[in-house]
Amino acid sequence: MTPKAGKAPSVITYLEMTEQPTSPPPPVPAAKLVLLRAERPPVPFYRFLYEQIGRRWQWTERVQMDDEALAAVIHDENVEIYVLYAGGAPAGFSELDRRQSPDIELAYFGLMAEFTGRAFGAHFLRWTVDQAWTHQPERLWVQASSEDDPHTLSLYQQSGFVVYDQKTVESGA
């Protein structure tokens, strides 16, 4: 795609891993953290997480979906949503999409702004990666945008993901 005049293009980087990481997981942060699967989460709760985390990074796909279409995705038995709580408050969420078996997509991963910079991301990402591998996929993949947090790409690579493709697209695409 050719970017519109005055609008910088986005770079989408596709990463994958074809084996479960064998390196030791990062240390557990010195905070009271709880990870829970949100089974069939209410659409408003999901929207809260998605919008609070994704607003800074221009996440728009799920905002544009109506409630019925969104519920069909997030309530699918092959979609797993995990919420990270810190001190009892939602701090982040991850979403594993197993609908394209034998691959699993890490469809969404992020932290609320108030919880970044505390080593929660590395711990939560590795936990999510290990959870994905309990399903024994052929590969686990994720995409990162140049509009994401500047540390996203390196965090994925430090967690064992390897770049396999990159595309330049119109911003917001």
Side-chain angles (χ1 to χ4, degrees):
M1 282 184 187
T2 305
K4 292 180 182 175
K7 200 168 195 184
S10 295
V11 177
I12 307 298
T13 303
Y14 298 88
L15 304 100
E16 67 183 354
M17 61 172 64
T18 56
E19 296 179 347
Q20 184 172 5
T22 56
S23 61
V28 177
K32 186 172 183 182
L33 299 179
V34 175
L35 285 155
L36 296 174
R37 180 170 180 187
E39 296 183 28
R40 298 182 59 84
V43 169
F45 179 66
Y46 181 91
R47 286 194 187 281
F48 165 76
L49 294 172
Y50 185 91
E51 292 172 9
Q52 289 299 309
I53 293 166
R55 181 181 305 127
R56 296 178 296 154
W57 316 119
Q58 290 79 46
W59 292 2
T60 59
E61 179 184 16
R62 300 283 171 87
V63 172
Q64 297 167 357
M65 296 173 82
D66 65 38
D67 286 355
E68 186 176 322
L70 180 57
V73 173
I74 66 174
H75 295 163
D76 188 290
E77 66 182 16
N78 291 307
V79 173
E80 299 176 13
I81 298 163
Y82 295 96
V83 182
L84 173 69
Y85 293 88
F93 90 104
S94 62
E95 183 175 326
L96 296 172
D97 186 341
R98 298 184 293 110
R99 295 177 295 169
Q100 299 297 315
S101 182
D103 292 348
I104 296 177
E105 178 186 7
L106 175 53
Y108 290 98
F109 177 84
L111 297 175
M112 305 264 185
E114 301 81 6
F115 297 98
T116 59
R118 298 174 167 183
F120 292 1
H123 170 71
F124 185 31
L125 179 58
R126 176 58 183 267
W127 185 92
T128 301
V129 165
D130 288 345
Q131 181 61 34
W133 282 103
T134 67
H135 298 288
Q136 302 177 332
E138 285 188 13
R139 78 177 181 136
L140 174 61
W141 71 278
V142 66
Q143 61 180 317
S145 168
S146 57
E147 294 178 7
D148 289 340
D149 183 297
H151 303 290
T152 299
L153 188 57
S154 64
L155 178 63
Y156 287 149
Q157 290 174 310
Q158 291 167 11
S159 298
F161 286 95
V162 176
V163 174
Y164 72 89
D165 196 10
Q166 209 169 48
K167 296 180 181 170
T168 301
V169 297
E170 181 180 313
S171 285

